[in-house]
Amino acid sequence: MRTNQPQTIYLKDYRVPVFLVDHVDLRFELFEDGARVHSVLSMRRNPDSDSSDTSVELNSDTLTKLESLSLDGKELGIDAYEDSVDRLVIHDVPDHFELGVVTWLEPQNNTRLEGLYQSSGMFCTQCEAEGFRCITYFPDRPDVMARFRTRIEADKASFPILLSNGNDVEKGDLDGGRHFVTWEDPFPKPSYLFALVAGDLVEKRDSFRTLSGRDIDLRMYVEPRNSDKCDHAMDSLKRAMRWDEEVYGREYDLDIFMIVAVDDFNMGAMENKGLNIFNSSCVLASQETATDMAFQRIESIVAHEYFHNWSGNRVTCRDWFQLSLKEGFTVFRDSQFSADMGSPTVKRIEDATMLRTAQFAEDSGPMAHPVRPESYMEITNFYTLTIYEKGCEVVGMIHTLLGPDMFRKGSDLYFERHDGQAVTTDDFVRAMEDASGRDLSQFRLWYEQAGTPELTVKDEYDQAAGIYRLRIDQRIPDTPGQTNKKPQHIPFAIGLLGADGESLPLKLSATDADEPTDRVLELTEASHTFEFHGVSECPVPSLLRNFSAPVRVYYPWTREQLMFLMSHDPDGFNRWDAGQRLAVDVISGLVGEAGSEAVDSGLTEAYRGLLTDTSLDQALVAKMLQLPSEAYLIELADKPNVPDIHRAREKVLGHLATALRDDLLACYKRNSVEGRYEVTPQAVARRSLRNTALAWLLHTDDEEGRALAESQFAKADNMTDRMGALRALVNSGYEQECKQMLDAFYEQWKADPQVVEQWFAVQAGSSRTGGLSRIRELMSHPAFDWKNPNKIRSVIGVFAGQNLPAFHAEDGSGYRFLEEQVRRLDDSNPQIAARLVSPLTRWRKYAPVHGEQMKKALEAIRDKSGLSRDVYEVVHKSLAGQ
């Protein structure tokens, strides 16, 4: 295990590498009891370094055992180098040399799932961020880019498939029933993009013809039991390849593109050059085993990893502080793609929901950091929502400020200027400036300042002058290490609606010839006042349309105004947002002492209108019918008492379900259309509406609803409807029927790990069935596997992140439970352990009955002997003063 007192690494201390690697020659000998790795590094002094040091430093890890070391073919004695826990220093090296290293690994015992490890018997790798040093000694940093040649040798019967980056250039048989394949990658890459897979896998092949007429060989490798789950991912890949050519002008550069599905994987997927390795749950799908949400998620993730070929691989990040350079930009690209493949409004709602619920919470917690962090202890802790989702929003704001044409010119310049380089976020912004002529100096603060900007909006209407004034003040709360922040450059999209629901013209002066009904205001000061002229009536403002910036907006909307916006706003996102704000206002008003009050009838009528108006975009309606989550309500509250919030939300949901019973039944039946299963926006919306109506009916233990759920479960030909029925019953009061359906579901799908993960999650996330005793039963179930991150996430992660009433039990049992699991996992998989800690980190936000017990759980984790640096950083920052 790594040291439990990690050192802080600072961006300001960055120095170029003293030595570079031009070429890496690897040979892997794979055996049942381990793997021997031979590497030859062709190294030279970096002309851009001002260091005169004659020693070369390589990174290492405790997972590797050094067997031999040679310089220019000569074996080095122990007095020629220093080998410590995490680095190897070789003295007195020339300016050009070849370094030979032989290491021994035990992949079968590698529970950290970093470097080379085994999953379901196959060998596979995960090298981002610092996993290559777990394989061999190497200057393991992203600004050291080299060409790789990799030879893999293994038993042919056990491992018929041998894969690595690039193109296969040589293969053959060896003595003793073994064989080899050699792969050569023609493009320089950092070591974090290295990949290897060896196993007994089924190959699925397809092809793609580029716009220039090149034929690309597409291959997917899966375990035999998953051979029927590849079509959707392959189709998604081809759609992404075509889209990237048409929208960004990016053509794939190798002759082969490969995807491998792996059951044991810490992340979702990895964009290794030409050989993407995926968590099985993020790539395998069939209508019988995957829900609509899973289909959409897979399409997005496949596209994301493919898009990395240019935004991450061909142009990579100079250092890990620049992580959002590749991740934020690529998330933006995959969000654009998903919007084009489906409903842009629904996609924007999904992205904003994630941001406002989880990333805003991260921004206001102890782990808050800028999109370009200034420091870190353990880089794996910085694969965060801030880096990914907020980083995406930052790129999106540049797109909004420049417009699509200038943004495309900027991205073209960026790829052309930096192809084959390791660069920074400044390089990205500079390319956008140079292409567009815009000055984005102030905009760079989005990369430098942590925290979520808060915009307070006030307005007044001068009827006599026909002027509507809008004052917008911005502030950014203090975050750890950052106070007194500067105003940021914020694109703020608005519209104004008249009493008839029609959009009003937005003239910024009496002489303004333009009369658009939608404008993007640019905020650059702490306070702005905008005047709109020629406004004939007092308008209802539609603010931050399409969620044009990742900010919190405070404006004193009345409930009547929100219901008006729900019905009339032409901006689909703001229609949804008005409904969310209305529901939040009603639910929040019932928390605590007000819990005995009646539910506002206006909310009921607003939802009735959504259920009965079939002329509305049904994909949008499906989203609008989802009440704000408990997590979002908690995020909005000051010192939230979780049980009170849960009771208030349950009361509103119960009231709506009872009052709208007939409308819900009609909605269910109207959307129960038989036909071929399709993952189109219309079909997805129909199933979503049907299953939402069913869930609401079962919330009141409706007998007809129960019968519908049982019938739907029995007749369903797809996992969306099957799981919709199961989830509705799990969250009802029908305990016996629930148990029977859960047992039947498991019996049918117990051989499919991805479906079993859904079975775990639906129980762990339910406030009715997911009590702590049931969670412990699930962890003792034969299908639960402590070595598999997906199983851990589907039970422990879902319990702590979604089953909030049970996790936040007033006796603190949920916190103590999570503490126990984190301490256990810290010894086997620190990355997963560190991510599970997250729900405890914001203990200061909660009411004292919760906060003090959360703090005690953190302190117990902190006091564990041999604490990994992954968990050390999260816990110590959480307990430190803010």
Side-chain angles (χ1 to χ4, degrees):
M1 188 56 59
R2 309 178 197 184
T3 175
N4 63 350
Q5 292 186 331
Q7 299 299 307
T8 301
I9 300 169
Y10 295 95
L11 172 59
K12 62 182 176 61
D13 293 336
Y14 172 81
R15 300 292 183 272
V16 299
V18 179
F19 286 89
L20 300 175
V21 182
D22 290 322
H23 188 268
V24 183
D25 203 318
L26 295 169
R27 182 162 68 96
F28 285 80
E29 297 180 277
L30 305 179
F31 306 102
E32 287 188 7
D33 62 341
R36 181 167 287 108
V37 183
H38 307 256
S39 72
V40 178
L41 314 181
S42 299
M43 303 190 70
R44 61 182 169 89
R45 183 174 293 278
N46 185 358
D48 294 332
S49 172
D50 57 9
S51 173
S52 59
D53 194 348
T54 60
S55 298
V56 64
E57 182 177 299
L58 309 179
N59 301 109
S60 63
D61 191 278
T62 53
L63 292 177
T64 59
K65 176 184 177 183
L66 180 61
E67 289 196 337
S68 71
L69 191 64
S70 63
L71 186 69
D72 289 330
K74 182 181 178 180
E75 194 80 15
L76 292 177
I78 59 173
D79 57 341
Y81 62 89
E82 297 176 23
D83 187 8
S84 60
V85 173
D86 57 1
R87 68 194 64 235
L88 176 75
V89 179
I90 305 170
H91 304 299
D92 300 324
V93 299
D95 288 348
H96 294 77
F97 59 93
E98 282 197 346
L99 183 68
V101 182
V102 180
T103 55
W104 176 257
L105 316 176
E106 295 182 354
Q108 70 278 13
N109 298 324
N110 180 0
T111 61
R112 279 167 39 188
L113 311 186
E114 292 179 276
L116 180 67
Y117 65 95
Q118 284 192 291
S119 173
S120 302
M122 82 172 83
F123 288 92
C124 53
T125 57
Q126 172 55 32
C127 292
E128 187 177 357
E130 296 176 338
F132 195 72
R133 66 189 60 184
C134 302
I135 295 172
T136 187
Y137 292 73
F138 196 83
D140 189 10
R141 43 189 290 174
D143 55 354
V144 175
M145 302 175 70
R147 288 180 171 83
F148 281 68
R149 182 181 176 92
T150 305
R151 173 176 163 129
I152 312 168
E153 303 172 5
D155 181 80
K156 190 171 185 177
S158 299
F159 304 100
I161 300 295
L162 306 177
L163 308 174
S164 192
N165 311 86
N167 301 311
D168 49 343
V169 296
E170 187 182 13
K171 61 183 65 176
D173 292 330
L174 301 170
D175 293 339
R178 294 171 67 79
H179 71 136
F180 77 95
V181 179
T182 300
W183 294 81
E184 190 154 20
D185 189 346
F187 297 100
K189 65 172 178 283
S191 57
Y192 82 84
L193 291 173
F194 172 79
L196 176 150
V197 170
D200 185 4
L201 303 170
V202 172
E203 179 185 77
K204 295 289 185 175
R205 300 186 78 151
D206 205 331
S207 63
F208 176 82
R209 174 158 289 187
T210 69
L211 292 178
S212 69
R214 294 173 53 239
D215 288 320
I216 310 299
D217 184 8
L218 307 180
R219 305 177 188 176
M220 276 191 69
Y221 295 91
V222 299
E223 294 179 57
R225 61 181 169 81
N226 294 320
S227 61
D228 62 341
K229 299 180 185 178
C230 301
D231 291 348
H232 178 66
M234 190 68 84
D235 290 342
S236 298
L237 173 61
K238 290 189 288 186
R239 286 192 292 271
M241 295 177 80
R242 179 64 70 220
W243 184 91
D244 209 20
E245 287 187 305
E246 294 175 346
V247 178
Y248 278 87
R250 299 297 107 194
E251 182 177 295
Y252 186 62
D253 49 4
L254 292 170
D255 298 327
I256 305 172
F257 186 86
M258 298 175 286
I259 289 176
V260 180
V262 175
D263 280 351
D264 303 294
F265 205 70
N266 282 339
M267 301 183 181
M270 180 60 209
E271 71 270 17
N272 316 296
K273 182 69 178 179
L275 177 56
N276 286 191
I277 299 179
F278 275 70
N279 187 316
S280 296
S281 68
C282 297
V283 71
L284 301 175
S286 67
Q287 74 178 66
E288 294 81 12
T289 63
T291 63
D292 291 342
M293 186 180 298
F295 271 94
Q296 293 172 327
R297 179 171 175 249
I298 287 167
E299 180 179 63
S300 174
I301 294 174
V302 168
H304 179 97
E305 304 308 331
Y306 173 75
F307 295 155
H308 264 311
N309 187 63
W310 278 92
S311 51
N313 296 1
R314 287 286 289 261
V315 183
T316 195
C317 48
R318 184 195 73 178
D319 53 71
W320 291 120
F321 298 100
Q322 318 297 330
L323 181 57
S324 193
L325 174 83
K326 71 183 187 74
E327 296 300 349
F329 186 21
T330 305
V331 172
F332 174 72
R333 277 154 47 76
D334 84 55
S335 291
Q336 285 183 298
F337 169 77
S338 295
D340 285 350
M341 295 301 108
S343 165
T345 299
V346 168
K347 176 59 179 169
R348 196 69 190 117
I349 289 169
E350 291 170 349
D351 290 347
T353 299
M354 166 72 78
L355 208 81
R356 301 199 306 191
T357 302
Q359 194 282 318
F360 283 9
E362 189 170 274
D363 254 352
S364 59
M367 290 293 289
H369 59 275
V371 172
R372 185 184 63 198
E374 297 172 347
S375 65
Y376 64 81
M377 293 180 186
E378 172 53 55
I379 185 56
T380 56
N381 287 333
F382 282 79
Y383 282 73
T384 61
L385 295 167
T386 299
I387 296 295
Y388 282 70
E389 273 68 29
K390 188 173 181 179
C392 161
E393 296 295 320
V394 171
V395 176
M397 286 187 288
I398 295 177
H399 187 276
T400 299
L401 291 169
L402 270 55
D405 293 340
M406 281 300 175
F407 184 87
R408 169 63 191 271
K409 285 182 64 178
S411 67
D412 285 349
L413 179 61
Y414 170 70
F415 290 128
E416 177 186 346
R417 180 183 284 176
H418 299 297
D419 190 9
Q421 297 178 14
V423 297
T424 68
T425 56
D426 278 336
D427 293 313
F428 177 78
V429 177
R430 190 175 300 112
M432 293 294 168
E433 287 179 318
D434 292 347
S436 67
R438 290 289 307 263
D439 180 1
L440 297 175
S441 299
Q442 183 182 6
F443 188 85
R444 285 177 169 83
L445 290 173
W446 279 102
Y447 287 100
E448 300 167 8
Q449 295 186 159
T452 303
E454 298 177 349
L455 305 184
T456 301
V457 182
K458 299 178 181 178
D459 60 351
E460 62 177 19
Y461 176 59
D462 184 337
Q463 185 175 11
I467 296 175
Y468 176 74
R469 295 183 181 88
L470 203 65
R471 172 173 169 163
I472 307 175
D473 298 325
Q474 68 161 292
R475 65 176 290 272
I476 308 175
D478 293 345
T479 51
Q482 289 190 340
T483 58
N484 302 318
K485 299 173 190 178
K486 299 176 183 178
Q488 296 189 164
H489 189 175
I490 302 172
F492 189 81
I494 71 157
L496 301 177
L497 300 183
D500 59 359
E502 294 297 314
S503 298
L504 301 177
L506 302 176
K507 298 177 60 174
L508 288 172
S509 70
T511 59
D512 192 347
D514 293 332
E515 294 190 355
T517 56
D518 198 338
R519 275 190 184 270
V520 176
L521 308 176
E522 295 191 29
L523 312 181
T524 55
E525 305 292 337
S527 181
H528 286 272
T529 298
F530 299 93
E531 290 190 348
F532 299 95
H533 294 253
V535 181
S536 59
E537 59 181 301
C538 185
V540 176
S542 173
L543 305 177
L544 200 69
R545 282 186 160 177
N546 205 40
F547 198 60
S548 59
V551 300
R552 301 179 193 266
V553 174
Y554 298 98
Y555 174 83
W557 280 289
T558 64
R559 291 185 179 180
E560 290 73 21
Q561 286 177 314
L562 292 173
M563 285 187 277
F564 177 82
L565 290 172
M566 281 181 71
S567 299
H568 298 289
D569 200 326
D571 184 83
F573 177 88
N574 273 15
R575 274 198 173 195
W576 168 83
D577 185 53
Q580 291 288 290
R581 290 179 183 275
L582 176 62
V584 166
D585 192 46
V586 171
I587 295 169
S588 298
L590 298 175
V591 172
E593 295 180 0
S596 59
E597 296 180 6
V599 176
D600 189 335
S601 61
L603 183 67
T604 306
E605 294 311 306
Y607 278 95
R608 191 188 307 280
L610 291 172
L611 280 167
T612 56
D613 189 348
T614 57
S615 68
L616 296 174
D617 176 1
Q618 296 299 283
L620 176 59
V621 171
K623 287 295 180 185
M624 294 183 72
L625 283 173
Q626 296 173 8
L627 285 179
S629 68
E630 290 178 7
Y632 184 54
L633 293 164
I634 290 168
E635 177 57 25
L636 293 177
D638 181 36
K639 299 296 180 184
N641 184 291
V642 179
D644 280 353
I645 289 174
H646 173 70
R647 282 189 287 269
R649 186 180 184 277
E650 290 289 290
K651 178 176 180 176
V652 170
L653 183 53
H655 172 85
L656 291 173
T658 300
L660 300 172
R661 179 185 182 276
D662 292 343
D663 300 299
L664 290 167
L665 281 170
C667 177
Y668 180 90
K669 293 173 182 177
R670 184 171 66 246
N671 286 286
S672 297
V673 179
E674 295 183 0
R676 187 170 64 90
Y677 176 83
E678 296 178 315
V679 191
T680 62
Q682 297 78 15
V684 170
R686 189 170 62 247
R687 285 188 289 271
S688 179
L689 283 168
R690 181 170 66 243
N691 286 312
T692 297
L694 184 64
W696 283 27
L697 288 169
L698 266 291
H699 197 78
T700 60
D701 296 343
D702 185 271
E703 280 293 333
E704 188 171 354
R706 178 190 61 77
L708 288 172
E710 292 178 339
S711 175
Q712 178 174 308
F713 182 83
K715 297 177 181 178
D717 67 349
N718 64 85
M719 185 54 72
T720 304
D721 285 339
R722 189 177 292 111
M723 184 57 69
L726 181 62
R727 181 174 287 108
L729 205 55
V730 164
N731 288 294
S732 74
Y734 294 107
E735 295 183 12
Q736 186 59 36
E737 291 85 349
C738 171
K739 183 179 185 309
Q740 291 173 355
M741 196 177 287
L742 283 168
D743 290 345
F745 185 95
Y746 178 76
E747 191 60 32
Q748 181 177 359
W749 297 105
K750 61 185 177 183
D752 190 310
Q754 284 75 55
V755 179
V756 170
E757 287 155 17
Q758 298 177 57
W759 181 79
F760 277 136
V762 75
Q763 297 173 79
S766 170
S767 61
R768 297 220 185 184
T769 65
L772 203 50
S773 60
R774 180 56 180 161
I775 300 302
R776 293 191 184 279
E777 288 177 10
L778 293 176
M779 290 166 57
S780 300
H781 194 278
F784 185 81
D785 183 358
W786 278 102
K787 295 180 181 180
N788 181 263
N790 289 351
K791 299 297 189 298
I792 294 166
R793 283 186 282 253
S794 64
V795 178
I796 303 170
V798 168
F799 168 74
Q802 297 180 25
N803 191 349
L804 300 183
F807 177 65
H808 290 284
E810 293 188 359
D811 63 0
S813 56
Y815 311 141
R816 292 191 296 274
F817 167 80
L818 186 59
E819 168 221 318
E820 293 170 17
Q821 313 321 316
V822 169
R823 286 164 60 93
R824 172 174 180 164
L825 283 163
D826 186 60
D827 291 328
S828 57
N829 193 327
Q831 277 192 40
I832 299 301
R835 289 169 191 158
L836 286 177
V837 172
S838 182
L840 295 171
T841 60
R842 300 188 67 213
W843 59 274
R844 288 181 176 86
K845 177 178 177 61
Y846 291 85
V849 66
H850 300 300
E852 287 304 313
Q853 296 183 87
M854 297 169 79
K855 180 183 178 184
K856 288 180 180 177
L858 283 170
E859 289 171 337
I861 296 170
R862 176 199 62 192
D863 295 339
K864 172 185 174 290
S865 176
L867 193 65
S868 71
R869 71 186 187 204
D870 308 66
V871 177
Y872 179 101
E873 178 175 28
V874 177
V875 170
H876 278 258
K877 286 183 175 179
S878 302
L879 290 171
Q882 295 193 56

